[in-house]
Amino acid sequence: MSIGRINRTKGIALAAITSTAVAAGVILIQGAADADPAPTLAQAKQQVADLQHQAEVAGENANDLRGQISAAQARVNALKSGIAKQQAQVDAVKRQIGSLAVAGYQTSGISTTAQLLLSNNPDQFLSQASTAQAFAGQQNSALRRYQLAQGKLTDLQASEQTELAALQAVQAKQTGFVNQLNGNLDKAQKVLDKLSAADRKRIEEENAKDAENARKQRPTRDGNRTGDDIPNIPASGRGAIAINAALSQLGDPYVWGADGPDSYDCSGLTEYAWGKAGVSLTHSSKAQAGEGRRISRSELQPGDLVFYYSPISHVALYLGNGRIVHAPRPGKSVEIAPLDEMPINTMVRPG
């Protein structure tokens, strides 16, 4: 083999090696670019908190549809009941028509004139003929009643289908929000999964410690409040009852859609607390914002409801001295927090 050919062969081999190395480098660089670096513990906590808040927003949007679903379900149930009654009426008229048809058939095989000529008692026959005319009138009247009853039944059935479609649409919308909630919680878990086992354990221990510290601040059996974080502000009337009811749940976990007795979401906690005071609230932060008298910040009293974010997606009970009690978000427990921990939207006094 000539030197020139050897050099060409080496050049080809070197080019192949270089190309392979470059390609491998590109793959390694691309892989490094595609791989998400593990977040620091502080970054992970913030990402998880943001995703959990987004989950809560979706949960409250789903809660906000509860009233629409309940109302639509009530309309469907009323229509079902109306349809059952109307069907019974239609069936009764049909039975009456059937009886009249049988009776009419039994006397329809011979003409009226022939019946008169063959009758042993013409006077009695004429009297019966008069009755037969009335009988025919009954048939016509029954037919008209049937047409009306059947028409009403058809209208009710059509209304039921319309209401069922509306109900299913709202239910599908609520399911979409619940899917968003679960999707955000799944993303939060994936963030945690990127942490080391030691960091994940540390977060779990911190959450458990926060819940235990919150439970230690629950009111005593005689109604007295304990713990340095609970403001010593006298509350009276229904507001005091609501506060003590909420404080009694300190440390209970946040669970979407829950309103007690062992877990709550934000509007579930306020619904429960004010329910103990004899005031009925809707299980929805947006709805609760319209279920009381709007007040200013200077008017805030213990027991008042404070709503956060725009649009509203969170609610808490005011304790006094710039503190609230609330169910914060998924992954957390009922706790006491600063009034201005979140952007305030509006404030309401229930009852």
Side-chain angles (χ1 to χ4, degrees):
M1 182 183 291
S2 66
I3 294 176
R5 185 170 181 179
I6 291 173
N7 287 338
R8 284 197 300 274
T9 302
K10 287 182 178 180
I12 293 170
L14 180 60
I17 293 170
T18 303
S19 298
T20 302
V22 170
V26 169
I27 292 171
L28 289 172
I29 292 171
Q30 184 64 40
D34 290 342
D36 292 330
T40 65
L41 183 59
Q43 289 172 334
K45 285 182 177 180
Q46 186 58 53
Q47 290 175 24
V48 168
D50 291 343
L51 287 166
Q52 288 174 340
H53 170 63
Q54 292 174 31
E56 186 203 16
V57 171
E60 282 302 294
N61 284 334
N63 280 339
D64 197 41
L65 297 175
R66 286 170 179 256
Q68 294 182 39
I69 290 174
S70 295
Q73 187 66 67
R75 290 193 296 270
V76 169
N77 291 340
L79 284 167
K80 286 182 180 297
S81 177
I83 287 171
K85 292 179 181 178
Q86 191 63 26
Q87 184 67 62
Q89 185 176 344
V90 168
D91 293 341
V93 177
K94 285 171 69 176
R95 286 193 298 270
Q96 183 183 11
I97 291 173
S99 299
L100 291 172
V102 170
Y105 175 78
Q106 291 172 346
T107 61
S108 63
I110 187 169
S111 70
T112 303
T113 302
Q115 291 180 53
L116 175 60
L117 292 173
L118 295 173
S119 175
N120 293 326
N121 189 338
D123 290 336
Q124 182 180 6
F125 174 77
L126 290 173
S127 175
Q128 291 174 342
S130 177
T131 302
Q133 289 178 346
F135 178 79
Q138 287 181 343
Q139 286 183 310
N140 291 334
S141 176
L143 286 171
R144 285 194 296 271
R145 287 200 306 275
Y146 173 76
Q147 290 172 338
L148 290 172
Q150 183 62 51
K152 186 175 181 181
L153 176 61
T154 301
D155 290 344
L156 286 170
Q157 290 170 332
S159 296
E160 180 195 26
Q161 292 305 310
T162 300
E163 290 295 344
L164 276 173
L167 172 61
Q168 291 165 358
V170 179
Q171 288 174 328
K173 189 175 180 180
Q174 185 186 57
T175 299
F177 285 129
V178 174
N179 290 340
Q180 288 179 26
L181 180 153
N182 291 327
N184 283 315
L185 293 183
D186 289 342
K187 290 177 184 177
Q189 186 59 52
K190 289 178 181 177
V191 173
L192 293 174
D193 290 342
K194 293 178 183 178
L195 295 175
S196 65
D199 281 344
R200 289 198 299 273
K201 184 178 180 181
R202 180 177 173 183
I203 290 176
E204 290 174 2
E205 290 175 345
E206 287 176 356
N207 289 338
K209 185 178 180 180
D210 289 343
E212 181 59 29
N213 288 337
R215 279 191 287 271
K216 290 178 180 179
Q217 297 183 82
R218 290 181 174 183
T220 58
R221 288 186 177 181
D222 59 6
N224 292 325
R225 305 176 195 173
T226 61
D228 297 333
D229 207 18
I230 299 179
N232 187 22
I233 291 182
S236 60
R238 290 181 297 186
I241 297 173
I243 285 176
N244 282 322
L247 291 175
S248 296
Q249 314 314 310
L250 286 169
D252 284 349
Y254 180 107
V255 174
W256 172 73
D259 53 10
D262 300 314
S263 58
Y264 302 87
D265 60 14
C266 69
S267 54
L269 177 66
T270 50
E271 177 195 24
Y272 169 84
W274 270 99
K276 290 294 184 181
V279 177
S280 178
L281 296 177
T282 303
H283 193 156
S284 161
S285 54
K286 291 178 184 176
Q288 288 179 12
E291 295 176 337
R293 181 172 67 86
R294 292 288 180 94
I295 56 174
S296 65
R297 184 167 182 142
S298 62
E299 295 176 293
L300 268 177
Q301 294 179 6
D304 289 340
L305 298 180
V306 184
F307 299 88
Y308 295 90
Y309 303 106
S310 182
I312 291 170
S313 62
H314 191 74
V315 59
L317 280 92
Y318 183 61
L319 290 178
N321 269 358
R323 310 294 283 175
I324 57 171
V325 57
H326 68 148
R329 62 175 189 272
K332 303 288 284 183
S333 302
V334 178
E335 66 179 17
I336 294 171
L339 171 65
D340 292 305
E341 185 174 66
M342 299 160 285
I344 296 175
N345 183 300
T346 191
M347 291 151 280
V348 164
R349 181 163 301 151

